[in-house]
Amino acid sequence: MKIFIINGGQVFGHSGGRFNATITAETIAFFESQPGFEVKTTSVNDDYNPIEEVEKYTWADVVIYHTPIWWFQVPHGLKKYIDVVFTAGHNKGIYKSDGRSSENPAINYGTGGMLQGKKYMLTTSWNAPKEAFTLPGEFFNEKSVDEGPLFGFHRMNAFTGMEPLSGIHFHDVEKNADLETDLTRYRAHLEQTFVAQLQEENSL
Protein backbone atom coordinates (compact mmCIF):
# COMPACT_ATOMS: atom_id res chain seq x y z
CA MET A 1 0.00 0.00 0.00
CA LYS A 2 1.40 3.38 -1.05
CA ILE A 3 0.96 6.16 1.52
CA PHE A 4 1.43 9.88 0.79
CA ILE A 5 1.67 11.96 3.98
CA ILE A 6 1.17 15.75 3.91
CA ASN A 7 2.17 17.88 6.89
CA GLY A 8 -0.01 20.98 6.71
CA GLY A 9 1.25 22.41 10.01
CA GLN A 10 2.95 25.79 9.79
CA VAL A 11 5.27 28.05 11.71
CA PHE A 12 3.27 31.26 11.81
CA GLY A 13 2.28 33.76 14.47
CA HIS A 14 2.25 32.00 17.83
CA SER A 15 2.14 28.56 16.19
CA GLY A 16 5.36 26.61 15.96
CA GLY A 17 3.79 23.77 13.99
CA ARG A 18 5.16 21.29 16.54
CA PHE A 19 2.01 19.27 17.15
CA ASN A 20 1.46 18.41 13.50
CA ALA A 21 5.18 17.81 13.00
CA THR A 22 4.97 15.27 15.84
CA ILE A 23 1.87 13.60 14.40
CA THR A 24 3.52 13.48 10.96
CA ALA A 25 6.68 11.91 12.39
CA GLU A 26 4.55 9.36 14.24
CA THR A 27 2.74 8.48 11.01
CA ILE A 28 5.99 8.02 9.09
CA ALA A 29 7.48 5.87 11.85
CA PHE A 30 4.34 3.74 12.03
CA PHE A 31 4.29 2.87 8.33
CA GLU A 32 8.06 2.40 8.10
CA SER A 33 7.86 -0.14 10.92
CA GLN A 34 5.17 -2.18 9.16
CA PRO A 35 5.63 -4.56 6.21
CA GLY A 36 3.60 -3.89 3.09
CA PHE A 37 3.74 -0.08 2.99
CA GLU A 38 5.66 2.49 0.96
CA VAL A 39 5.77 6.12 2.09
CA LYS A 40 6.28 9.51 0.45
CA THR A 41 5.95 12.81 2.30
CA THR A 42 5.55 16.55 1.80
CA SER A 43 5.67 19.47 4.21
CA VAL A 44 3.95 22.64 3.07
CA ASN A 45 6.72 24.58 4.84
CA ASP A 46 9.27 23.37 2.28
CA ASP A 47 9.66 24.29 -1.36
CA TYR A 48 7.86 21.89 -3.68
CA ASN A 49 7.45 21.26 -7.39
CA PRO A 50 3.72 21.19 -8.24
CA ILE A 51 4.07 18.52 -10.93
CA GLU A 52 6.05 16.28 -8.56
CA GLU A 53 3.29 16.73 -5.98
CA VAL A 54 0.67 15.75 -8.57
CA GLU A 55 2.71 12.62 -9.21
CA LYS A 56 2.63 11.80 -5.50
CA TYR A 57 -1.17 11.96 -5.56
CA THR A 58 -1.38 9.70 -8.60
CA TRP A 59 1.20 7.32 -7.07
CA ALA A 60 -0.56 6.96 -3.72
CA ASP A 61 -3.23 4.51 -2.66
CA VAL A 62 -3.95 6.68 0.39
CA VAL A 63 -3.28 10.38 1.03
CA ILE A 64 -2.99 11.39 4.69
CA TYR A 65 -3.49 15.06 5.57
CA HIS A 66 -2.26 16.43 8.89
CA THR A 67 -3.46 19.96 9.55
CA PRO A 68 -4.17 22.40 12.35
CA ILE A 69 -7.35 24.43 12.06
CA TRP A 70 -6.93 28.21 12.05
CA TRP A 71 -10.05 30.34 12.13
CA PHE A 72 -12.12 27.25 11.25
CA GLN A 73 -10.20 26.61 8.03
CA VAL A 74 -7.00 24.84 7.01
CA PRO A 75 -4.03 27.24 7.27
CA HIS A 76 -2.98 29.37 4.32
CA GLY A 77 0.10 27.30 3.48
CA LEU A 78 -1.94 24.12 3.04
CA LYS A 79 -4.67 25.98 1.15
CA LYS A 80 -2.05 27.43 -1.23
CA TYR A 81 -0.52 23.96 -1.68
CA ILE A 82 -3.92 22.53 -2.63
CA ASP A 83 -4.71 25.42 -4.99
CA VAL A 84 -1.35 25.17 -6.76
CA VAL A 85 -1.07 21.38 -6.89
CA PHE A 86 -4.67 20.64 -7.87
CA THR A 87 -4.49 23.28 -10.61
CA ALA A 88 -1.29 21.66 -11.90
CA GLY A 89 -3.14 18.33 -11.81
CA HIS A 90 -5.78 19.41 -14.33
CA ASN A 91 -5.76 16.68 -17.01
CA LYS A 92 -2.61 15.29 -15.40
CA GLY A 93 -4.20 12.90 -12.95
CA ILE A 94 -6.19 14.86 -10.36
CA TYR A 95 -9.23 16.05 -12.33
CA LYS A 96 -10.23 16.51 -15.96
CA SER A 97 -13.29 18.76 -15.57
CA ASP A 98 -16.10 19.55 -13.17
CA GLY A 99 -17.97 16.57 -14.64
CA ARG A 100 -20.79 18.45 -16.39
CA SER A 101 -21.60 18.49 -20.09
CA SER A 102 -22.80 21.41 -22.20
CA GLU A 103 -25.85 19.35 -23.14
CA ASN A 104 -27.09 19.19 -19.55
CA PRO A 105 -25.05 21.52 -17.35
CA ALA A 106 -27.36 21.23 -14.34
CA ILE A 107 -26.28 17.70 -13.39
CA ASN A 108 -23.14 15.65 -12.66
CA TYR A 109 -21.18 18.50 -11.09
CA GLY A 110 -18.20 17.14 -9.16
CA THR A 111 -17.80 13.93 -11.15
CA GLY A 112 -14.76 14.86 -13.21
CA GLY A 113 -12.09 13.64 -10.79
CA MET A 114 -9.33 11.27 -11.87
CA LEU A 115 -8.36 9.76 -8.50
CA GLN A 116 -11.12 7.15 -8.28
CA GLY A 117 -10.15 4.09 -6.27
CA LYS A 118 -7.87 6.11 -4.01
CA LYS A 119 -8.61 7.09 -0.43
CA TYR A 120 -7.63 9.83 1.99
CA MET A 121 -7.49 10.28 5.73
CA LEU A 122 -7.68 13.57 7.62
CA THR A 123 -6.31 14.49 11.03
CA THR A 124 -6.95 17.90 12.51
CA SER A 125 -5.83 19.69 15.65
CA TRP A 126 -7.92 22.27 17.49
CA ASN A 127 -7.79 24.68 20.38
CA ALA A 128 -11.54 23.98 20.69
CA PRO A 129 -12.52 21.20 23.11
CA LYS A 130 -14.53 18.28 21.70
CA GLU A 131 -17.52 19.43 23.76
CA ALA A 132 -17.78 22.55 21.57
CA PHE A 133 -19.02 20.20 18.83
CA THR A 134 -21.26 17.94 20.88
CA LEU A 135 -23.04 19.85 23.65
CA PRO A 136 -26.31 21.72 23.04
CA GLY A 137 -25.81 25.49 23.01
CA GLU A 138 -22.07 25.26 22.42
CA PHE A 139 -20.27 26.99 19.57
CA PHE A 140 -20.58 24.50 16.69
CA ASN A 141 -24.31 23.83 17.15
CA GLU A 142 -23.79 20.07 17.57
CA LYS A 143 -22.18 19.74 14.15
CA SER A 144 -19.19 17.41 13.99
CA VAL A 145 -15.81 18.50 12.64
CA ASP A 146 -16.44 16.59 9.42
CA GLU A 147 -20.04 17.68 8.88
CA GLY A 148 -19.42 21.26 9.98
CA PRO A 149 -16.15 23.22 9.55
CA LEU A 150 -14.44 20.57 7.37
CA PHE A 151 -17.41 19.80 5.10
CA GLY A 152 -15.81 21.73 2.23
CA PHE A 153 -12.49 19.98 2.66
CA HIS A 154 -14.18 16.60 2.29
CA ARG A 155 -16.12 17.72 -0.78
CA MET A 156 -12.85 18.96 -2.29
CA ASN A 157 -11.41 15.47 -2.02
CA ALA A 158 -14.63 13.95 -3.33
CA PHE A 159 -14.28 16.23 -6.37
CA THR A 160 -11.00 14.47 -7.21
CA GLY A 161 -12.66 11.06 -6.91
CA MET A 162 -11.06 10.04 -3.61
CA GLU A 163 -13.07 8.43 -0.83
CA PRO A 164 -12.57 9.08 2.91
CA LEU A 165 -11.17 6.76 5.48
CA SER A 166 -12.12 7.37 9.10
CA GLY A 167 -10.13 10.35 10.35
CA ILE A 168 -9.17 11.50 13.81
CA HIS A 169 -9.37 14.92 15.47
CA PHE A 170 -7.28 16.22 18.36
CA HIS A 171 -8.96 18.77 20.62
CA ASP A 172 -7.89 21.32 23.22
CA VAL A 173 -4.25 21.04 22.19
CA GLU A 174 -3.33 24.57 23.36
CA LYS A 175 -4.83 24.85 26.83
CA ASN A 176 -5.02 21.18 27.87
CA ALA A 177 -2.60 19.26 25.68
CA ASP A 178 -2.08 15.57 26.51
CA LEU A 179 0.31 14.45 23.83
CA GLU A 180 0.92 10.94 25.12
CA THR A 181 -2.79 10.17 25.28
CA ASP A 182 -3.29 11.63 21.81
CA LEU A 183 -0.41 9.59 20.37
CA THR A 184 -1.66 6.39 21.99
CA ARG A 185 -5.12 6.97 20.55
CA TYR A 186 -3.63 7.81 17.17
CA ARG A 187 -1.44 4.69 17.00
CA ALA A 188 -4.50 2.56 17.74
CA HIS A 189 -6.38 4.37 14.99
CA LEU A 190 -3.60 3.68 12.46
CA GLU A 191 -3.43 0.05 13.52
CA GLN A 192 -7.15 -0.44 13.07
CA THR A 193 -7.45 1.58 9.86
CA PHE A 194 -4.43 0.25 7.98
CA VAL A 195 -2.89 -2.91 9.43
CA ALA A 196 -6.18 -4.67 10.05
CA GLN A 197 -7.39 -3.62 6.59
CA LEU A 198 -4.21 -4.83 4.87
CA GLN A 199 -4.37 -8.18 6.67
CA GLU A 200 -8.00 -8.56 5.63
CA GLU A 201 -7.16 -7.80 1.99
CA ASN A 202 -4.25 -10.24 1.99
CA SER A 203 -6.49 -13.00 3.37
CA LEU A 204 -9.02 -12.70 0.54
Side-chain angles (χ1 to χ4, degrees):
M1 188 180 291
K2 298 171 182 176
I3 309 293
F4 175 32
I5 303 165
I6 301 172
N7 176 13
Q10 288 179 246
V11 179
F12 177 81
H14 65 274
S15 174
R18 292 183 298 275
F19 185 88
N20 281 275
T22 299
I23 296 297
T24 299
E26 186 68 27
T27 309
I28 294 168
F30 176 85
F31 286 115
E32 289 184 342
S33 71
Q34 300 286 339
F37 295 98
E38 298 178 61
V39 174
K40 292 186 179 182
T41 63
T42 287
S43 171
V44 300
N45 295 286
D46 300 331
D47 293 335
Y48 50 83
N49 180 307
I51 295 300
E52 290 177 0
E53 298 305 303
V54 171
E55 290 170 353
K56 291 178 184 178
Y57 270 90
T58 59
W59 167 86
D61 298 309
V62 178
V63 178
I64 298 179
Y65 298 98
H66 297 305
T67 183
I69 301 300
W70 295 356
W71 293 107
F72 318 115
Q73 307 282 338
V74 301
H76 61 272
L78 178 56
K79 181 60 168 65
K80 179 182 177 181
Y81 172 88
I82 290 166
D83 288 347
V84 169
V85 173
F86 281 23
T87 300
H90 181 218
N91 281 327
K92 293 184 175 66
I94 292 185
Y95 77 103
K96 60 181 181 292
S97 70
D98 69 8
R100 297 181 296 163
S101 68
S102 56
E103 290 77 21
N104 194 348
I107 63 169
N108 293 324
Y109 178 80
T111 61
M114 301 175 74
L115 296 177
Q116 285 85 2
K118 300 178 184 292
K119 297 182 180 180
Y120 72 95
M121 188 186 87
L122 172 65
T123 81
T124 65
S125 52
W126 296 77
N127 172 53
K130 65 181 184 296
E131 291 81 5
F133 299 87
T134 60
L135 294 180
E138 287 299 308
F139 187 78
F140 291 101
N141 298 318
E142 297 178 78
K143 293 284 188 183
S144 70
V145 170
D146 297 295
E147 294 172 338
L150 273 295
F151 176 81
F153 187 88
H154 287 294
R155 299 321 297 161
M156 174 199 79
N157 284 281
F159 191 95
T160 72
M162 289 195 289
E163 297 180 356
L165 294 169
S166 178
I168 187 168
H169 306 297
F170 303 100
H171 294 284
D172 214 356
V173 299
E174 289 195 25
K175 293 184 173 64
N176 293 296
D178 186 349
L179 184 59
E180 284 308 311
T181 297
D182 283 339
L183 288 176
T184 298
R185 185 166 64 97
Y186 182 53
R187 292 184 197 111
H189 180 82
L190 291 175
E191 186 82 26
Q192 179 62 39
T193 303
F194 291 97
V195 176
Q197 176 183 327
L198 193 62
Q199 290 172 345
E200 180 179 335
E201 290 176 357
N202 289 338
S203 67
L204 295 178

